[in-house]
Amino acid sequence: RNSLKIGVGLYEQDLLSPFLYEFSRLHTDIEFNCYQYGYLELAKRFEQGLLDIILTSDKYFCDIDLNGSIVHLIHASPWVIAISSRDPLSKVPLLTRNSLENQTMVTMSEGNISDLIDHFKALGALKSIAYVNTFHTKMLMIDSCLGVGTIPRFVNTNGYPNIKKLDFEANYCPRLF
């Protein structure tokens, strides 16, 4: 039996799920295995041949040898701000740089604080930045009104009924998928 090892990054399962459902029904002779890793680890495993296909952001494309791999852009929309519906700011239809001034940005991006401040400068002067190591802890902090976060528009937040996705005045698109 043939197998297909598919890797996804921190958010891409929401892009893969509808396609994988249909594809697996058409290809019942294939055994599917899905793995989720942080973006650098995902890129390394693909480069080492441990994964057949990856859905990832463009963050580490410059750091790996794609060995003639075919690359397709599947999502390029601006990101949204995830915010708790209990936060008064969630009632605003469109967030601005000024509206985020007193907010803590919850992020899974690793790096020194200078790099993170630079990464988020398009969103305005934030109060602080809080690092978390998983998507679920990011949503936990946002749901608890301990900050806001940026997420790709395609991310399904239905499992977090108190989380709203709001548009930002500028087209904030730090990565493509």
Side-chain angles (χ1 to χ4, degrees):
R1 190 169 178 179
N2 295 324
S3 70
L4 185 61
K5 294 183 280 298
I6 304 169
V8 295
L10 303 174
Y11 301 112
E12 293 79 7
Q13 68 277 359
D14 290 332
L15 289 173
L16 178 61
S17 182
F19 171 79
L20 187 58
Y21 174 79
E22 295 296 331
F23 190 78
S24 65
R25 299 302 174 275
L26 295 173
H27 300 278
T28 57
D29 59 322
I30 298 176
E31 178 182 314
F32 294 91
N33 297 289
C34 296
Y35 305 92
Q36 185 174 35
Y37 299 103
Y39 292 112
L40 184 56
E41 183 67 20
L42 182 67
K44 287 180 181 178
R45 287 179 180 262
F46 180 72
E47 185 178 39
Q48 294 167 352
L50 300 173
L51 298 168
D52 301 313
I53 297 172
I54 60 172
L55 276 76
T56 185
S57 77
D58 58 351
K59 186 172 183 175
Y60 290 106
F61 276 4
C62 297
D63 298 334
I64 63 169
D65 181 4
L66 295 172
N67 292 326
S69 299
I70 298 169
V71 177
H72 291 282
L73 177 65
I74 55 177
H75 188 82
S77 293
W79 288 36
V80 294
I81 306 292
I83 189 167
S84 173
S85 60
R86 295 177 279 208
D87 186 319
L89 191 56
S90 71
K91 310 306 183 245
V92 176
L94 182 69
L95 295 174
T96 66
R97 291 172 55 90
N98 290 340
S99 61
L100 294 178
E101 276 181 353
N102 295 314
Q103 292 289 330
T104 296
M105 180 59 62
V106 182
T107 182
M108 295 181 291
S109 295
E110 297 180 40
N112 67 50
I113 193 68
S114 297
D115 290 341
L116 291 176
I117 289 170
D118 191 47
H119 177 76
F120 290 116
K121 72 180 174 189
L123 300 176
L126 301 165
K127 179 175 84 173
S128 62
I129 297 173
Y131 170 77
V132 294
N133 65 338
T134 69
F135 175 73
H136 296 294
T137 54
K138 181 175 184 172
M139 294 295 104
L140 170 66
M141 293 211 27
I142 294 168
D143 187 38
S144 301
C145 291
L146 295 173
V148 299
T150 59
I151 57 174
R153 186 175 301 280
F154 63 80
V155 170
N156 182 343
T157 58
N158 291 341
Y160 305 93
N162 294 322
I163 303 280
K164 288 179 71 175
K165 296 191 287 189
L166 296 179
D167 288 320
F168 187 68
E169 68 178 342
N171 284 335
Y172 180 72
C173 195
R175 292 194 295 276
L176 306 175
F177 298 89

